Amino acid sequence: MKKTKTLIGDEGATFVNAFTVTPLCCPSRSSILTGQYPHNHGVRNNSVSGNCSSIQWQKDPETEAFPVYLSKLKYQTFYAGKYLNQYGKKDGEGVSHVPPGWDHWHALVGNSQYYNYTLSVDGKEEVHGDSYEKDYLTDLIANRSLNFLENRSPQHPFFLMLSPPAPHSPWTAAPQYQKEFSNVKAPRDGSFDKPGKDKHWLLRQPVNPMPSSSLDYLDNAYRKRWQTLLSVDDMVEMLVKKLESIKELDNTYIFYTSDNGYHTGQFSLPIDKRQLYEFDIRVPLMVRGPGIKPKQTLQAPVLNIDLAPTIMDISGVDLSTVNVDGQSFLSQMAPSLRNGTVRPFFLVEYTGEGHPTTDPACPKLGPGLSQCFPDCVCEDAFNNTYACVRTLDGKTDLQYCEFADTESFVEVYNLTSDPHQLENVLKKTDPAILQAMNQRLIKLQSCEGDSCRDVNIVGEVLFQTDVSYREVLARRPRQEKYRCH
């Protein structure tokens, strides 16, 4: 994405340690909207039972999402593209539901598509077909956003949130880009096709080395993902040019990011996300705007729960009045505008999904699994439920994770010496360090608001007791439906 890098990254700040607090679409997007960890907004996975765009979500966390606060400040707000995976379904309020805070609403019903989809346009159903000129979703989002900018009121500020399907499956590139990158393959470095020894059982089940069928599948996916992103690159260029033409470019902050990472062959897992490793929790983040000097590369960790408070901070919202777990990173990229601190550690949490019955395509595997393709390699399971504390303070680069499963499995990585997380060093780590990480994890798993950002509060409880993540889950009333198999 050369245009995006030039027009946003080179003109502003690139955050090389940006993370999602949960590596899956719906809970991550819910965190972006609310500025909260999943254990606070209650969205656990992509299912309605996991609270994705459920009635409960619509009645509670969604009413406190950041666009509500922007609307109170007379911002003109515009949304286009994928919202939440279960949005528009009958389990919620259907396509008539327009989340509060949005003046102009063009949201995809359900999960990512490029053609043959339905939009909710200000609460009314709009059905699309397979014409590139009329229906290709990435281009439609771009065109409608340009129209919004052209017709906005110059008397009030504006906010756009654009969520194209790319590079999500089904990886349908625009016609002019379908032959690009014909020789590109997924990188064969790092943990690619390495055995998942000493890891959670889900990482130990893939065949190693991968069969040629899996390699062909993931290489094809990798190429097609790149192809779909060329249209996003075009969209960024069009938006920047439009802002320049209406003389708003120098007065506008532009954020480019994603809701989760992705893997293609790491530890012999063909394609997906949902895992605790760097390839799934790291996301791109570039920002340009007033007060941000060009060509900055920033090292301090930033989370997707920090986007909402940062956007509200820029817009003038008093952050002491809102309930967020994240913190504004405006001070990092524009220190002339704000003073602030950086966090030394943070939480990553995920609730696994599985099917209650055996997948007919993989009869030997049994129930409780999901995403078992290609070649019946499963990417998720009910007991792929974990919480991690990630320490990244400039001196220490550690990750400590506990699974809620029958093994009470623990994984520990020293990313300073092992950036690809090839070796679980649990048995080699000083017990005092393990104790400290365990206590940090417990506090973060129950944090809310200020306590998620208060390093001193977390530090005070170190070495007091030894409680496992499973026990924390058992204690917490809001996790009564948490399924651990």
Side-chain angles (χ1 to χ4, degrees):
M1 302 186 65
K2 296 179 181 179
K3 298 173 184 177
T4 301
K5 183 179 182 299
T6 299
L7 294 171
I8 303 180
D10 291 351
E11 293 296 325
T14 298
F15 293 83
V16 295
N17 287 311
F19 297 87
T20 177
V21 298
T22 186
L24 188 63
C25 324
C26 198
S28 178
R29 288 164 178 262
S30 302
S31 288
I32 290 172
L33 290 164
T34 62
Q36 296 177 350
Y37 281 116
H39 67 263
N40 286 325
H41 62 59
V43 179
R44 298 184 295 278
N45 50 47
N46 285 346
S47 64
V48 174
S49 62
N51 215 25
C52 179
S53 201
S54 65
I55 292 293
Q56 180 183 344
W57 157 263
Q58 293 172 3
K59 289 183 177 180
D60 190 8
E62 192 176 59
T63 64
E64 297 183 359
F66 74 82
V68 174
Y69 294 90
L70 299 188
S71 181
K72 291 178 181 178
L73 294 175
K74 307 302 182 183
Y75 269 75
Q76 303 163 87
T77 56
F78 175 94
Y79 192 96
K82 176 179 173 178
Y83 181 57
L84 301 173
N85 297 55
Q86 299 296 333
Y87 170 75
K89 304 294 183 64
K90 293 180 180 179
D91 302 88
E93 295 182 6
V95 297
S96 64
H97 174 69
V98 177
W102 297 107
D103 301 317
H104 302 267
W105 182 249
H106 303 260
L108 179 66
V109 174
N111 205 357
S112 298
Q113 294 291 332
Y114 297 78
Y115 296 109
N116 301 307
Y117 54 85
T118 298
L119 294 180
S120 169
V121 179
D122 297 329
K124 295 182 179 180
E125 183 179 83
E126 183 179 283
V127 179
H128 285 263
D130 58 3
S131 165
Y132 171 69
E133 291 76 13
K134 296 179 181 179
D135 304 312
Y136 190 69
L137 185 53
T138 302
D139 290 0
L140 182 145
I141 292 168
N143 292 331
R144 293 193 180 182
S145 66
L146 297 178
N147 185 62
F148 166 79
L149 288 171
E150 182 65 31
N151 295 301
R152 82 204 186 285
S153 168
Q155 278 73 45
H156 297 287
F158 59 85
F159 175 82
L160 297 87
M161 189 167 182
L162 310 181
S163 182
H168 200 286
S169 61
W171 314 306
T172 309
Q176 67 270 29
Y177 294 135
Q178 291 180 359
K179 294 183 180 180
E180 297 293 323
F181 310 122
S182 58
N183 296 321
V184 168
K185 292 185 177 182
R188 264 55 172 174
D189 55 359
S191 58
F192 184 87
D193 207 13
K194 293 289 196 301
K197 60 181 180 179
D198 299 325
K199 290 176 169 55
H200 186 240
W201 77 269
L202 201 61
L203 273 291
R204 301 195 300 266
Q205 49 97 28
V207 174
N208 180 269
M210 285 185 287
S212 59
S213 55
S214 289
L215 292 170
D216 291 342
Y217 186 90
L218 69 88
D219 281 334
N220 184 54
Y222 193 88
R223 277 190 296 273
K224 288 185 173 181
R225 284 166 60 82
W226 275 30
Q227 291 168 357
T228 65
L229 285 171
L230 291 177
S231 293
V232 180
D233 212 25
D234 291 340
M235 180 175 72
V236 170
E237 181 182 44
M238 286 188 286
L239 282 165
V240 170
K241 286 183 176 180
K242 185 63 176 180
L243 289 168
E244 190 171 30
S245 73
I246 62 175
K247 296 180 171 51
E248 292 285 7
L249 181 59
D250 293 337
N251 195 37
T252 302
Y253 289 88
I254 306 175
F255 295 70
Y256 179 86
T257 190
S258 182
D259 50 0
N260 50 251
Y262 205 72
H263 57 259
T264 48
Q266 283 70 34
F267 295 121
S268 299
L269 294 173
I271 59 160
D272 201 40
K273 48 255 184 173
R274 309 168 201 261
Q275 309 305 328
L276 57 88
Y277 309 101
E278 295 288 277
F279 42 74
D280 283 359
I281 64 173
R282 283 185 176 269
V283 294
L285 177 59
M286 297 180 287
V287 190
R288 68 173 287 174
I292 304 176
K293 294 181 179 180
K295 296 186 178 179
Q296 294 187 73
T297 300
L298 302 179
Q299 300 289 335
V302 169
L303 311 179
N304 62 339
I305 59 172
D306 298 335
L307 290 166
T310 303
I311 291 167
M312 289 191 285
D313 189 14
I314 290 170
S315 68
V317 174
D318 181 355
L319 294 182
S320 67
T321 66
V322 297
N323 181 26
V324 293
D325 303 331
Q327 62 190 47
S328 172
F329 55 87
L330 181 57
S331 62
Q332 293 187 44
M333 55 189 179
S336 63
L337 302 180
R338 292 287 189 280
N339 294 321
T341 60
V342 298
R343 61 167 61 77
F345 47 80
F346 56 90
L347 174 70
V348 176
E349 55 186 349
Y350 177 67
T351 302
E353 289 184 85
H355 298 299
T357 58
T358 299
D359 184 345
C362 305
K364 296 181 180 180
L365 296 180
L369 303 164
S370 68
Q371 310 299 315
C372 300
F373 65 91
D375 301 315
C376 289
V377 175
C378 299
E379 302 274 359
D380 207 4
F382 282 134
N383 64 5
N384 185 38
T385 295
Y386 58 80
C388 306
V389 60
R390 183 80 161 77
T391 301
L392 185 61
D393 58 11
K395 297 179 181 178
T396 304
D397 194 351
L398 290 173
Q399 186 176 26
Y400 172 93
C401 302
E402 295 184 4
F403 283 84
D405 62 6
T406 57
E407 295 180 300
S408 296
F409 204 82
V410 176
E411 296 187 26
V412 182
Y413 298 99
N414 180 352
L415 286 97
T416 302
S417 59
D418 181 21
H420 300 296
Q421 298 164 294
L422 300 177
E423 182 184 10
N424 179 3
V425 294
L426 172 66
K427 297 178 180 179
K428 297 180 179 180
T429 303
D430 186 332
I433 294 177
L434 296 178
Q435 176 80 342
M437 300 293 268
N438 170 266
Q439 294 303 310
R440 286 180 178 177
L441 180 60
I442 292 168
K443 292 297 294 184
L444 286 171
Q445 260 296 104
S446 60
C447 77
E448 183 176 3
D450 290 342
S451 65
C452 298
R453 303 184 295 273
D454 194 332
V455 176
N456 294 322
I457 289 177
V458 177
E460 288 173 358
V461 300
L462 297 183
F463 308 109
Q464 287 184 3
T465 59
D466 185 9
V467 184
S468 73
Y469 174 47
R470 291 169 59 83
E471 292 174 284
V472 173
L473 291 180
R475 293 176 182 174
R476 295 185 38 217
R478 72 167 56 207
Q479 298 288 1
E480 288 178 2
K481 295 182 180 180
Y482 217 109
R483 291 186 289 184
C484 305
H485 293 239

